[in-house]
Each structure stands twice: as C-alpha cells, then as structure tokens.
Amino acid sequence: MPDRPDGPDPVTEALFALHRGLPRQGPGSDATTRRLLELARPLPGRRPRVLDAGCGPGRAALLLAEEAGARVTAVDVHQPFLDELTAAAASRGLDERITVLNRSMDRLSFPDHSFDVIWSEGAVYTVGFETALRSWRRLLAPGGVLVVTEIEWTTSTPSAQAQAFWGPVYPLRTSAANADAARAAGYWVDAHWPLPESDWWNEYYTPLSERIARADPADPAHPGMGRALAAARAEITLRRHHGSDYDYAGYVLHPAPAPSVITPRTASHTSTGTGTGTGTTDAETPTPRHTPTGAPVPGATATLVGTTAATHPHLLMNRKTMNASWTTRPETTADVTAIREINTAAFPTDLEAGIVDALRADPEAWIDGLSLLAEAPDGTPVAHALLTRCHVDGAPALTLGPCAVLPSAQRTGAGSAAIRAGLDAARARGEGLVLVLGHPEYYPRFGFTPASRFGIRAPFDVPDEAMMALALALDPAHPIPTGTIEYPAAFGV
C-alpha cells in the first residue's frame, strides 16, 4: 500500500509506479464496496452527494456513481490516479456525475454539511483514523453517513513479526479501540465489516506479485524501485505467515447527535429509558419519551434538553457480534413470548410490550407480515420492528413502532435490519405512507423526512423535525394524504 507524503520520495514514487494500472492499490473488491453500500443504505437524498476521500483510480467512485446514482467528488494527491478515474468515468458516461480534485484528504476546505456521504476505502491510514473522523464530521449533512475501511489488529496478542512490521508504519488498534475512537469523535458505529481474505489476494496481492516478478529493481526511471520491491515482498510475506493477526474492516458511522431527554408538564410515564424512544439503541440517541410509535403521553410536551453521555453508554461488541449478518423474517405465533421479552428488556417498564400485545389484538390496527424480527446467527430473535395501521384524516397509512432490541445486541445494526425489513414488506404490499416520531438524525437514513413537508401533523405538540414521514410509493392516482394523524387506540392518544 503506497504512502502519500506531501513531497516526492524515490521509494514512494517507485511504489506508485509499481501499483499503476493494477486492479487495486490495497485490499478490497467491488463486492465489498457493494456490501458496505448495502450496510449504509438508505443513502440520504435521491442523488446523494458523496466525497470519495483518497479515491485512487476510483473503483469505489465509479461504483457509487453508477449503482447508487451518486454525485461524487473524488479527491487524491496522485494525479495519475485521478487521470485514470477521469478516463474511466468518461468511458462509462459518468463524467457528469464524478468531479476529480487533486487535494489532500487532510486539507478539505469544503463548506460545512457539503456531503451526504463520505467514503474512503484503504486510504484513511494516510492521515490517521481519528484525525479523519474528527475533521470530516463537519462536512456531513444532517442524516449523513461516513464509510471507511481501516487496518486493525484482530487479536490482543499479535505476533512480534507483525508488530515489528506495522509499528514503524502505522499504529494498528483493535476493532474495539477503533469503535471507541469513533465514539470519541462523535459517531455511532452502525456496522463493522471485516474484509474477506479474498480481498487481500484476488485483486491485490496476486496481481501485485505478478507485477513484482516482472519489475526491474535497477529501473533507471525509478531509482527507488529496488527498495520498493523489497518492501512489497515483505508485506506479502507477512500476510502469508501472520495474516490472522490483522485485517481490514469497513466501518459505517453516523454522527451522534447530542443526547436528550423529555421535559414533561407532568411526571407520568417520564423516563430517559435504557435506550431510545424506540428501544433499539442501534445507532440512536433518545427521542422524546412516548408510547413507542412516537405518540407522547397525554399532557407532555417534547422539549429536548441535554444529558450526560453516561446516560446512554455505547455498547462495544466483540468481533463476532459486530460482524453478525442479521436474518430478518415476519413474526409467527411462536414468537409472541420472545417479542414481549425483547421489549421488556429494551425498555424500563412493560408499557411498550403491552402496547404490542394490544396492537396484535386489534384487527383494525394489526397487519399480518408487518411485524418483523431480526435473528442472530444462531436463530435467536434479538430485534423487533412493528408497523401498524393508522390514518391521516381518514386515509390509511402506517405508523412505525414499537421497535426494540435486546441489550446484548444493541449498537450492532440489528434494529436497523428489522426496520428496513419492515419497510420493504410494507412497500411490497403496496403501502404508500409510513409515519414515525423519532430522532431526526437517525430515521432519515431510512428515507424519512419531516411530515410537515407533506402537510401532515401529529395530534399533539411535537418538534417539527421529530415527526417524520416516508412515502413508499408516489402514485398520482393515490396521492399522499394530508391532515392530522389518527393513531390506533392502543397508544391512548
């Protein structure tokens, strides 16, 4: 992996020459880019504004422009890489979607909130993980997402050989330490995805080894080639013998808004809870305390005030848990007890569990197939998301919630997986509108925007940005209704 210092260096220039034209300049694959894109979805906006930092020849930039419809600003300091990207974008008809800039990753003078997505594969080491996360946070628009891949230890006791190699080059940390660093920089870790071993060999080390075999260590055009070849061979040898000590991993990060609690007019049912207003603590901070769909208890006005970070500690999962692939499915009659246990574990009282039971017993509210579970790899249900029938001035719509995640699976993406599965199921049924009262920096990742933009309002006092709507389909024959939300009786509003 060639370094990118500010000034020219014979070895660095030789490394760039050695890597020129290879499929990759570091571990990775299009499959991994697609996987990270899947974990980051839904991206904000119809044409998300993406910054690809340290883009290299632009494999990720091209994929994001082509498959996500993004408008990509790709930055790098090595002009030949940018020239390759410019040519590739033109050949694919993507030149209007991709802008290339010769600019250092740590000298980005874009205005605040310029990008919906910041993407950096295999490049963040050039400025440092923490430095990048802190300096890039201001560039993200509300609801934005940061996706980076970072090299890290996979064991607390790496071999002496691995430590001796990486120590002088880059200070590797464990995934837990990197998650801690992300939290300290103001993010929630929404997903963690270790790259498969094939990403190291198929498109990187194997083609690089073939290039090394043909290279001339005495190349007069590149006086540092001999040392560059030796460094590349050493890196490949280390991976072959000690690769289990370290890996690249993708991180999907969302800026964490300031924690908040509810200041009620009355004391009834007020609590900061053990998670959020939906009980998922998947990547959220608290919403106004309410019955879990978003309907506050009668007599309470949602006023956000600060709390300490200790109120909602970040749960660092071990490597196996953070890397879990969540399976989702509709609930069955055999899941009723498990769903109740998830809700009672996620919330400080059994209020939300009782609401789920009441909704299930209400034929006017309950819709088969819209109560979704996320399962751990062993089949244990760990997260639940529920959509039920509500109305907007008599027109049918859906309300999202209660949603809950077992404390042992919070901050792992399980809650997001259940919510996405529920929205997909609603879309497949032909539903047109979903409403949620929640944190305005969490739910936009699923496509929610303020309900007021649709002319929809809650039947109680609530901050405009917290009452959100998602149009699942735009059908001129069935326009989005306007008016006041009418919740199912189970919510008591």
Side-chain angles (χ1 to χ4, degrees):
M1 292 169 283
D3 196 6
R4 297 175 185 170
D6 291 336
D9 171 79
V11 177
T12 300
E13 292 301 310
L15 282 169
F16 277 126
L18 189 63
H19 284 74
R20 189 169 299 139
L22 291 179
R24 294 272 168 180
Q25 283 65 51
S29 65
D30 288 351
T32 286
T33 301
R34 291 188 178 99
R35 177 57 176 159
L36 293 173
L37 180 59
E38 176 186 347
L39 291 170
R41 276 177 167 154
L43 302 182
R46 295 180 60 188
R47 287 285 180 107
R49 301 164 298 165
V50 176
L51 171 66
D52 187 353
C55 62
R59 289 285 289 268
L62 292 164
L63 190 149
L64 291 166
E66 194 164 41
E67 299 186 15
R71 295 167 293 168
V72 182
T73 300
V75 303
D76 203 288
V77 296
H78 190 56
Q79 190 60 43
F81 284 163
L82 297 176
D83 293 341
E84 286 185 45
L85 173 54
T86 299
S91 69
R92 298 191 191 187
L94 299 172
D95 43 332
E96 292 186 359
R97 295 190 195 175
I98 298 177
T99 301
V100 300
L101 295 174
N102 191 318
R103 192 171 298 180
S104 177
M105 294 163 55
D106 61 348
R107 295 184 179 90
L108 300 176
S109 57
F110 302 106
D112 291 358
H113 313 309
S114 290
F115 300 99
D116 303 303
V117 181
I118 298 178
W119 199 280
S120 184
E121 288 191 52
V124 75
Y125 71 93
T126 63
V127 296
F129 188 70
E130 286 177 283
T131 298
L133 266 55
R134 290 184 185 278
S135 63
W136 294 347
R137 193 180 189 281
R138 71 170 186 83
L139 299 176
L140 281 172
V145 58
L146 172 60
V147 180
V148 300
T149 63
E150 168 71 330
I151 190 167
E152 58 190 24
W153 296 124
T154 59
T155 174
S156 59
T157 57
S159 66
Q161 294 89 336
Q163 293 186 67
F165 181 89
W166 289 113
V169 178
Y170 187 64
L172 273 61
R173 296 181 294 197
T174 63
S175 59
N178 279 331
D180 248 342
R183 179 185 62 176
Y187 298 85
W188 295 129
V189 179
D190 200 36
H192 173 271
W193 180 257
L195 273 60
E197 189 66 12
S198 58
D199 277 14
W200 289 81
W201 296 99
N202 291 0
E203 291 193 73
Y204 183 45
Y205 281 153
T206 297
L208 179 58
S209 296
E210 295 170 354
R211 178 70 59 81
I212 289 171
R214 299 193 303 268
D216 178 6
D219 184 353
H222 298 96
M225 184 59 74
R227 292 170 59 195
L229 290 170
R233 290 192 186 100
E235 183 178 316
I236 293 171
T237 299
L238 182 76
R239 184 66 189 178
R240 186 172 290 116
H241 295 292
H242 300 284
S244 60
D245 290 347
Y246 58 94
D247 200 0
Y248 255 104
Y251 285 84
V252 178
L253 309 173
H254 285 85
S260 55
V261 293
I262 183 74
T263 301
R265 294 199 199 104
T266 67
S268 61
H269 297 108
T270 58
S271 168
T272 57
T274 57
T276 69
T278 54
T280 64
T281 13
D282 193 34
E284 306 171 51
T285 56
T287 61
R289 181 65 177 148
H290 55 276
T291 52
T293 59
V297 293
T301 300
T303 304
L304 303 183
V305 296
T307 65
T308 65
T311 308
H312 303 280
H314 178 73
L315 181 61
L316 293 177
M317 311 303 295
N318 62 33
R319 184 178 182 82
K320 179 178 179 181
T321 303
M322 290 179 72
N323 189 29
S325 295
W326 302 109
T327 300
T328 57
R329 62 173 177 81
E331 76 161 68
T332 68
T333 54
D335 297 316
V336 172
T337 299
I339 291 172
R340 185 171 183 83
E341 290 173 350
I342 291 171
N343 278 273
T344 55
F347 290 97
T349 73
D350 62 357
L351 174 65
E352 286 77 13
I355 291 173
V356 174
D357 291 341
L359 288 168
R360 191 181 288 112
D362 182 357
E364 298 299 319
W366 189 263
I367 302 173
D368 288 337
L370 294 188
S371 175
L372 278 297
L373 288 166
E375 295 181 328
D378 65 359
T380 302
V382 298
H384 176 237
L386 178 62
L387 293 111
T388 50
R389 178 66 67 209
C390 70
H391 293 83
V392 176
D393 273 6
L398 296 174
T399 183
L400 173 62
C403 301
V405 181
L406 286 178
S408 61
Q410 291 174 1
R411 308 288 186 212
T412 66
S416 291
I419 291 171
R420 288 190 177 101
L423 296 176
D424 287 344
R427 189 177 289 107
R429 284 177 47 88
E431 296 286 344
L433 178 67
V434 180
L435 302 162
V436 68
L437 176 62
H439 205 291
E441 293 197 30
Y442 176 70
Y443 287 98
R445 75 181 61 182
F446 304 105
F448 285 94
T449 57
S452 59
R453 297 181 184 177
F454 297 90
I456 298 171
R457 57 189 175 275
F460 37 73
D461 291 332
V462 62
D464 181 72
E465 67 274 13
M467 187 73 250
M468 288 171 277
L470 170 63
L472 295 176
L474 297 177
D475 183 357
H478 299 87
I480 300 300
T482 62
T484 302
I485 304 168
E486 303 159 17
Y487 282 102
F491 295 112
V493 294

